[in-house]
Amino acid sequence: MDVLPYLVAGWVFLTGCYGLATSRNLIHAVGCLSVCQAGTYVLLLAVGYRHDATAPVFSDLKPGSRAVVDPLVQALTLTDVVVGATVTALLLALVVQISKRHGTVDPDELSELRG
């Protein structure tokens, strides 16, 4: 088993988390959250990868004759991409509304949102 894709996934995720923790701009924070999400794409694709496997199309193969890639992991990755794009669009829309209402995108200057 190759460890490199798992290390890349962890590095991308931790890079996004570091940017999220040190961000002083809401737009930058949304971008860092998208980078964290990209780490999950790499992780899911690394889990579903099989060396010397073919696409999961069984019209020309007898079942069990060759190894195939797991199609469930590919479907989960595609779903993850769609959900990530939707969440990013929603968060950016919220940042635009915060900028219009408060005139800033710095979370430290949003005193009205403190509890």
Side-chain angles (χ1 to χ4, degrees), residues 12-42:
V12 169
F13 184 79
L14 290 176
T15 301
C17 287
Y18 175 76
L20 192 61
T22 60
S23 177
R24 295 292 101 209
N25 188 330
L26 292 176
I27 297 173
H28 183 260
V30 171
C32 290
L33 192 63
S34 296
V35 171
C36 288
Q37 187 92 18
T40 63
Y41 306 155
V42 175

Side-chain angles (χ1 to χ4, degrees), residues 96-107:
V96 167
Q97 292 301 316
I98 288 172
S99 176
K100 283 181 183 178
R101 191 168 291 188
H102 300 284
T104 184
V105 290
D106 186 6

Side-chain angles (χ1 to χ4, degrees), residues 42-104:
V42 175
L43 180 66
L44 282 171
L45 292 175
V47 167
Y49 177 75
R50 291 182 68 184
H51 187 67
D52 291 334
T54 62
V57 179
F58 295 107
S59 64
D60 58 344
L61 296 174
K62 290 183 181 179
S65 65
R66 280 195 69 180
V68 294
V69 179
D70 188 10
L72 181 64
V73 178
Q74 294 174 3
L76 285 174
T77 304
L78 184 59
T79 304
D80 195 14
V81 168
V82 171
V83 169
T86 305
V87 168
T88 301
L90 177 67
L91 289 176
L92 287 175
L94 289 173
V95 168
V96 167
Q97 292 301 316
I98 288 172
S99 176
K100 283 181 183 178
R101 191 168 291 188
H102 300 284
T104 184

